[in-house]
């Protein structure tokens, strides 16, 4: 089963509370109304399969916190608290825990959030689970559901380096804190989610939730990370492969009203458009050609037996869809 199908199966017998203000899968965080006060709640787990380098625990701490809190930023919430659960193997030394703690603290400080306890366990491999809590300070939450008839598709930062690092087997990048961009998007965006599973996966998710819209991603406008560009040239593979894979960068993908001016100090780039009712679906566009992409077209990392098989499936799709 695909990840979305697993999630739906796990929810099929669970009742949703009247205090839950978002629909299932319609936002990156759960939106809860607690006595008239809106709260955002999210959780995420990380392990060796995420490719975080264990020999640099500071980077691990920074990344797991930044990635967890990214779901709060995607709904326009202000991060307030983090609860953490760490499973260790018993083989880690004091330097690992000190470095991890420094990375966690630095990421929390960058987001204006605080640690609110957690738990510690032991297992065959290390795992980290983060639970993030945020609030909206009077702003309406963002969701993955598009409001309005049309808009421009934008993204923060550079893309593709997460997948490039995974494909090359090099240490993962350090994720960027997008708190300032989130605050601005919370005031203006028509929809938002993060790219935790890669850009094209995020685009197909939004398309699936908004089947009445035509979404066009202009590949020539996507700001690609230098690592992705270098890897594509070195390995002679389409650049789109680094946007298809599921090793995301935790950037913010949003829809803005047409023509709105983005402040120059924000790292936000226009990469496409959407319009209600023209030719519904999600399309990649480049050099005057377009190709339709559906969620079922994307290789599912949970359905393939190993990373090599998944990488081959991603490359095969990239070559089939190639507009480079």
């Amino acid at each position: 089963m695909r990840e979305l199908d697993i999630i739906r199966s796990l929810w099929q017998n669970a009742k949703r509370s009247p205090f839950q203000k978002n629909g299932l899968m319609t936002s990156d965080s759960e939106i809860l109304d607690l006595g008239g006060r809106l709260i955002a709640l999210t959780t995420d787990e990380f392990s060796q399969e995420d490719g975080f380098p264990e020999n640099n625990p500071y980077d691990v701490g920074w990344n797991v916190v930044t990635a967890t809190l990214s779901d709060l930023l995607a709904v326009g919430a202000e991060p307030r608290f983090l609860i953490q659960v760490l499973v260790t193997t018993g083989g880690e030394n004091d330097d690992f825990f000190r470095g991890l703690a420094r990375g966690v603290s630095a990421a929390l400080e960058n987001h204006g959030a605080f640690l609110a306890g957690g738990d510690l366990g032991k297992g065959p491999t290390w795992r980290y689970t983060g639970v993030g809590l945020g609030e909206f300070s009077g702003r309406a939450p963002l969701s993955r559901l598009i409001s309005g008839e049309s808009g421009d598709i934008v993204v923060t930062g550079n893309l593709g380096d997460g997948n490039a690092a995974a494909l090359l087997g090099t240490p993962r990048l350090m994720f960027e804190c997008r708190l300032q961009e989130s605050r601005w998007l919370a005031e203006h965006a028509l929809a938002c989610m993060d790219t935790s599973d890669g850009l094209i996966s995020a685009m197909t998710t939004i398309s699936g939730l908004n089947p009445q819209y035509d979404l066009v991603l202009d590949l020539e406008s996507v700001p690609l990370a230098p690592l992705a560009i270098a890897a594509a040239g070195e390995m002679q593979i389409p650049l789109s492969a680094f946007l298809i894979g599921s090793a995301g960068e935790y950037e913010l993908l949003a829809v803005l009203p047409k023509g709105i001016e983005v402040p120059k100090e924000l790292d936000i780039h226009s990469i496409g458009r959407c319009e209600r009712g023209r030719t519904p679906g999600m399309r990649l566009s480049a050099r005057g050609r377009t190709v339709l992409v559906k969620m079922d077209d994307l290789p599912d990392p949970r359905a393939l037996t190993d990373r090599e098989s998944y990488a081959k499936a991603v490359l095969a799709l990239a070559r089939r869809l190639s507009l480079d």
Side-chain angles (χ1 to χ4, degrees), residues 71-95:
D71 283 338
L72 299 180
L73 301 186
V75 297
E78 291 282 331
R80 296 304 187 206
F81 293 102
L82 175 82
I83 297 172
Q84 61 182 0
V85 178
L86 177 64
V87 174
T88 70
T89 65
E92 297 86 357
N93 57 29
D94 290 350
D95 289 340

Side-chain angles (χ1 to χ4, degrees), residues 164-180:
L167 190 60
L168 295 170
T170 59
R172 291 291 298 274
L173 65 152
M174 288 185 69
F175 301 134
E176 298 283 348
C177 171
R178 295 303 179 190
L179 181 59
Q180 298 306 317

